Amino acid sequence: VMAKIDIIVPVYNTKRYIPACIESVLNQDYKDYKLIIIDDKSTDGSLELLRKYKEKYPDKILLIESPQNMGAASSRNLGLENSTSEYVTFLDSDDRLAPGILQKVSDISNTCNPDIISSNLLININGIPASFLGMKNNHFEDSRLIIPEKEKKHIYQERPGVTSKYIKRELVGNHRFPEGIKWEDYAFMIPFFVKAKSIYILKDTGYLYSVNPIGTTSTDMF
């Protein structure tokens, strides 16, 4: 059965974050989703934990076990290969979805059927909100539907990261994350801002982003 929203989660050695991540999805009121988790050959016990979740929620979780370590881009691509939903979104295994976000996304899709729904994200460092770090959020005052063709400025004003975006699976088509480069999600995401006929800007926080001091984003930034 096709879910309305596929949530793709690449996992590599994030055992301590996994329960909070997975439960932030399982605890959503809205239930028409599939959680596609790709274990990228973890060595810290993450896989055993994921298998327990899969066993407990077989109809909600699709667990893919990669035979070798491939990196986040390849893991996300593997998730896309297994995605059949109307919308697809990406969640990192040390982050969480904000409560109630899937219902909001579903309501927006039912009312204006946009190609992309983009919500705000909130940064946490060890559980403490850190919005002072100035993560670039949506630059509009209110939630609204925009037509990129008419508001071209939006294409370079939008935060180009892939997280907290819900993209029509149809729009993604055969487009994939480039492998073997840093910040591959920018290269993946930016073309969709140009191709999308409509983008809904949701001013609510939809994604809780944890700064993991040893995660790839932090180490790459340094």
Side-chain angles (χ1 to χ4, degrees):
V1 186
M2 188 177 111
K4 177 149 186 172
I5 303 169
D6 281 339
I7 302 157
I8 296 177
V9 186
V11 172
Y12 179 65
N13 290 354
T14 47
K15 186 181 174 185
R16 55 183 285 218
Y17 300 102
I18 287 169
C21 173
I22 292 181
E23 280 157 32
S24 77
V25 178
L26 296 171
N27 294 336
Q28 296 281 324
D29 306 330
Y30 184 80
K31 298 297 181 197
D32 191 10
Y33 64 81
K34 188 79 157 182
L35 196 48
I36 302 175
I37 305 174
I38 305 91
D39 180 76
D40 195 18
K41 201 78 177 154
S42 294
T43 54
D44 69 340
S46 290
L47 181 56
E48 291 68 23
L49 185 57
L50 292 170
R51 283 175 180 157
K52 282 181 188 154
Y53 273 108
K54 162 75 185 159
E55 213 172 292
K56 199 171 171 191
Y57 303 97
D59 55 332
K60 284 283 160 233
I61 295 176
L62 168 64
L63 176 60
I64 300 166
E65 301 181 17
S66 171
Q68 77 246 21
N69 179 259
M70 308 181 296
S74 307
S75 296
R76 283 168 168 168
N77 287 341
L78 196 49
L80 282 171
E81 299 299 332
N82 287 275
S83 160
T84 54
S85 62
E86 188 182 344
Y87 285 91
V88 63
T89 192
F90 298 90
L91 173 62
D92 289 341
S93 59
D94 48 0
D95 297 337
R96 288 167 295 141
L97 290 187
I101 183 61
L102 295 185
Q103 185 63 60
K104 289 173 188 171
V105 166
S106 172
D107 293 346
I108 291 164
S109 109
N110 292 339
T111 40
C112 38
N113 193 31
D115 281 345
I116 299 172
I117 298 166
S118 176
S119 71
N120 276 340
L121 49 75
L122 183 68
I123 303 187
N124 285 281
I125 299 179
N126 297 334
I128 300 156
S131 42
F132 60 84
L133 283 178
M135 173 62 86
K136 191 174 161 201
N137 270 322
N138 301 326
H139 48 279
F140 294 111
E141 294 301 310
D142 307 299
S143 295
R144 56 178 284 215
L145 187 73
I146 67 152
I147 311 298
E149 205 179 5
K150 293 183 181 152
E151 304 191 47
K152 290 197 170 68
K153 210 157 68 159
H154 174 75
I155 292 165
Y156 60 84
Q157 285 181 321
E158 173 68 76
R159 186 179 53 78
V162 78
T163 45
S164 79
K165 309 281 196 306
Y166 293 76
I167 314 155
K168 275 265 177 85
R169 185 64 191 80
E170 201 177 36
L171 183 67
V172 174
N174 295 320
H175 186 56
R176 296 292 179 264
F177 289 88
E179 299 176 13
I181 62 165
K182 295 289 184 196
W183 313 107
E184 76 287 337
D185 61 327
Y186 286 21
F188 175 80
M189 194 66 222
I190 290 170
F192 299 137
F193 297 148
V194 184
K195 286 200 314 194
K197 291 192 169 52
S198 60
I199 301 175
Y200 192 92
I201 304 297
L202 175 63
K203 291 301 289 184
D204 306 21
T205 297
Y207 192 98
L208 306 172
Y209 177 91
S210 303
V211 177
N212 171 1
I214 53 170
T216 56
T217 306
S218 305
T219 50
D220 288 352
M221 278 181 172
F222 287 121

